[in-house]
Amino acid sequence: MARFNEDTRVKIPATIQFLRLKYNYQSLKTDDVDIDFNTKIFVNRFKPALEKINGRPFTYDEIKSIITDIHNMLKNNDLGKEFYNWLIDPKDKAKLIDFTDIKNNDFAVVDELPFSVVEGTEEGSFRPDINILINGMPLAFLEVKKPNNEGGIQKEFDRMINKRLQNPDYKKFFNMIQIVAFSNNMEYEEDDDVEDVKAGSFYTTPNGMNTSFSFFREDDEQFHLKYEYKDIDKDTIKYVMKDCGYNPAEAETPEFEENLKTTSPCNSFVTSIFDKERFLYFLQYGMMFVNEQVPQKHIMRYPQFFATRKIIERLESGGKGGIIWHTQGSGKTALAAYSNRVIRDYYAKKNISTRFFFVVDRLDLLTQASIEFANRGLKTVNCEDKAGFTKELNKTLSTDLGSKSIGEICVVNIQKFEGKMPEAKNDYKANVQRIFFIDEAHRSYSSTGEFFKNLMTCDLDAVYIALTGTPLLSKKERSNLKFGDYIHKYFYDKSIADGYTLRIKKENIDTVAKSEIKKNLEMEDNQLEDKDVYESDAYVQALGAFIERDFVNFRLQNSDLSIGGMIVCRTNPQAKKVHEWFKDNSKLSTGLVITDTDDPKQKQINKNNQLDFRETLSPDILIVNFMLTTGYDVKRLKKMYLLRGPHAQSLLQTISRVNRPYKSPSGKVYKYGYIVDFVDIEQEYDKTIEAYIKELEADLNENGEDEGSLSGLVIDKEDINRKFHKYASELEDIVSTDNLEKFSKQLTYFNKETLLKIRRLLNGIKECQTEFILSRAMDYAAQIDSDKNKKLLKATQERIDFVNLSQNTVDMMDVISNDEVVEILYEFIKVKVIIMDLGQITQDNPKFKRFSEVVKDIQNEIKRNKNKGDIKIRKLDELLQKIFNDLSISDLNDLDNITDVLLEALERARNINYENERLSKIYGGNYAFVKTYQDAIETYPADKSEIERTLVIIYSVIEDVLDKEIVIVQGRKNFADSVKSKATKILLKEKLYGKIKGFYAQLLNDLYTNIQLFK
């Protein structure tokens, strides 16, 4: 019979896809397999590969020494940084990868490689589905799931972060592995409102608890169409099928043939990421170690990957620069850092030295960029004046890079450069290429002004790469006329879909507040200028009162005190007055960030406020004029009060300060950034977006590429209303919500996935109501009966809880309270009773009370048990699952019958705990020994009494140190050696050693692990 599962649907077809990419297949069953236990390096591939790369033979002792050095590096607490540096720049060590000649390397895949931590066993190991080897080193793996798997791809993300990356025994393996990928062979979901990503293919690099997963959307449509795949014959496919434990005939089934197509979502992803050249590119240029409060390791996002490659394409074609149009929040500073190494190596192959300059037009941006580059390992030189810039411009070589630097970049602030800029000199005729990254290229570079002309003429042979999220498109000032054509584009729609940025929700001030503020503007003196009005005490009073009330309510509605705000003022004097108002009248704290030449202290105050707002939860609100409206990215900044109307690209830059994804300390995930619009930006926004869309259409007609969309960045209550009706319509297609009792009955017929979808739609409706209230659109909010929606959600959650309880009974009972279990079962039974038309049942019903008391007793016994992995507990779990799954009520007397069955389960639970307590007394109450015993009697070939006596002897020799940290501090190997030195003689004397010799070492390893668990 054909097997239709994860392996035959995804894993084996993906393995064949690797072979099409000209990878070799490595079986774990062939005689020549030689795997180093500590590193999982395949020595049988590693040795010949290194000999080929390094052009000389290696003895086995030399290979063993190299692998030992690698293992020692992998044990570092550095996310694998030292090992990675060896990979890409071996210096005086053996070269591990040949990045200059791809064909010199050995690429292979091996399925189900166990990453074991104890030699001779797979206990405690993890086994990725497909492991990717370069020169025998496991540098990547791909985990696959079948389409529509329960929990979706999110389940794999959770397992990776919460289990594998938290296991200290696995740390060294993840210090070696550079790319981790996941796929459930489905296309990405189109709806960016889904609660959790469920479908698609994703990649990341191990980054501890900060690991995040990236989409990969193929940017080059021709890449797959024109890819030269290797033909894989049927015999090879059948060999792989058999090697994976399946009948080779499975390869002949139509289902397998369908999944074998090169164009399946998973197979396409494999080609996009693991094409040999691209894989090496990711390894060489796509990793970056970031020095933050918690050190991190980042991998290129796919827009950065394609942009860096497009830069080289531009240079190869003779171009001298252009524009990279990437939306705000997409990591343009990081892109410049990644590009540094790519461009430097490109010119190095031509024997040309490079100097890199990152040009900003404000001091705060210089500071911010310098920190970003330094954190990424670049030596950063700050040029705050013309003299400093002149000095760096005339250098032909970078100096004093230091061993920890990955390159150099000069950050240049041209804000206060007066007159003509310096021109580059090359007195020694050195072969040097200067590369200028122009940050925020929509500002300060008027083509008729001195800045632009001087910048572009300071080195006529330089490469100029303009970075912007909002290019200039006016007839007089077009970015692409000044800096050249677009090198690469990445827009809001994809950025939002990829989870890098949020949509922005625009709120207009309510009618009452507007009339109050307007009344304060109706002053008798018609000769007053605007600033006299907007800086007046009356206006500031009305404004401050409104913002304070609104922001407090915003935090209250979201139950989140961590979110911060920003007030964008019309003028500096207005900003000062608003700040003073809050100091005098509000409990909210504000931080003033403005340019003030009259107050020398303001510069330091600005710096302190910026850092405090980013690093702490204070101040609550920043008050600015022009500062921080570009380039200031703080995730907790979620609400902006816009008192002035920026134009065109400045408008998009300003409102994008609130579009960074944010998860609050309490776990709330924000779907929007919010702006309160005091100046009615809608017309200006529409005009700006229309101009950008025309630019896209013109470019589309020119190059035929699908560029993406800019629509939908800013939404308002009408968009939320459309979303509400969409949710309501989808919900009605699944289940009727008119009658709560009928709704509850219908829920009993749905599977868990459908229940989760119903919950998502109801939560979506609930969020729409919250958004209406935040927008003060009470007429729209009135469409939603919040009380009814709450009841529907409660009924849905109760059904999900029961499904969870019936599928994972012991685990659920262990983590929830008695009352919660009783409530879940009561609600289920109540619905069953209503369906059978048996009348009403209450929790006071004697039959239900007897039932619930027995359930509570069972739960209490489960909570008492300290070894949920015990085989007897798992069997109890199966029994309880069967009871709850078969919970059938056709008569209230059935409840008594079910209770009688539960009493038998209760007796079993009590006996399990009684036996555990008996055992624990033997071992001084130490449950590490109890668990070791229980696992051992199921695993090892010895009599129970022999295992029990062996553990008693071991306990007697380490009893004195168990309560101290000595056992843990000495490490696994030293612990085993210490026990053996004391216990083996006793075991020999009692004639036990011969009976447990075969598993003695493993028994001690199990005990060491359990001592850690129960310490």
Side-chain angles (χ1 to χ4, degrees), residues 610-625:
Q610 289 179 62
L611 289 174
D612 288 347
F613 189 82
R614 181 192 298 275
E615 303 294 340
T616 71
L617 298 183
S618 180
D620 298 307
I621 299 174
L622 290 174
I623 300 175
V624 306
N625 178 13

Side-chain angles (χ1 to χ4, degrees), residues 393-494:
L393 190 64
N394 291 328
K395 280 185 184 177
T396 54
L397 293 173
S398 300
T399 54
D400 301 323
L401 287 184
S403 60
K404 295 184 179 179
S405 175
I406 62 170
E408 182 187 79
I409 193 162
C410 301
V411 183
V412 185
N413 174 27
I414 63 168
Q415 183 182 26
K416 294 185 179 179
F417 282 18
E418 298 292 339
K420 187 173 173 59
M421 279 203 190
E423 291 183 15
K425 294 178 182 179
N426 191 353
D427 294 336
Y428 299 102
K429 307 299 181 189
N431 213 1
V432 61
Q433 177 66 60
R434 296 177 182 86
I435 295 94
F436 289 85
F437 286 99
I438 317 300
D439 187 35
E440 306 295 1
H442 54 278
R443 295 199 316 261
S444 303
Y445 305 103
S446 168
S447 56
T448 58
E450 291 298 308
F451 271 174
F452 174 73
K453 183 178 69 177
N454 291 339
L455 181 63
M456 301 298 282
T457 57
C458 71
D459 184 353
L460 294 174
D461 190 48
V463 170
Y464 291 90
I465 299 171
L467 304 173
T468 183
T470 50
L472 292 165
L473 294 179
S474 68
K475 291 179 181 179
K476 289 178 66 178
E477 298 293 342
R478 291 180 63 86
S479 295
N480 64 342
L481 295 180
K482 293 190 290 183
F483 294 106
D485 293 336
Y486 297 113
I487 296 173
H488 191 254
K489 307 186 194 78
Y490 178 67
F491 299 128
Y492 297 109
D493 60 333
K494 288 178 182 172

Side-chain angles (χ1 to χ4, degrees), residues 812-823 859 863:
M812 281 287 287
M813 282 188 164
D814 191 39
V815 297
I816 61 179
S817 69
N818 287 159
D819 290 343
E820 287 171 317
V821 169
V822 170
E823 185 66 24
Q859 185 182 16
K863 285 181 178 290

Side-chain angles (χ1 to χ4, degrees), residues 755-773:
L755 292 168
L756 292 173
K757 184 173 182 181
I758 291 170
R759 185 179 69 180
R760 179 176 70 82
L761 293 170
L762 288 168
N763 274 324
I765 290 170
K766 177 183 172 185
E767 286 177 7
C768 286
Q769 186 174 45
T770 299
E771 296 302 331
F772 287 142
I773 293 169

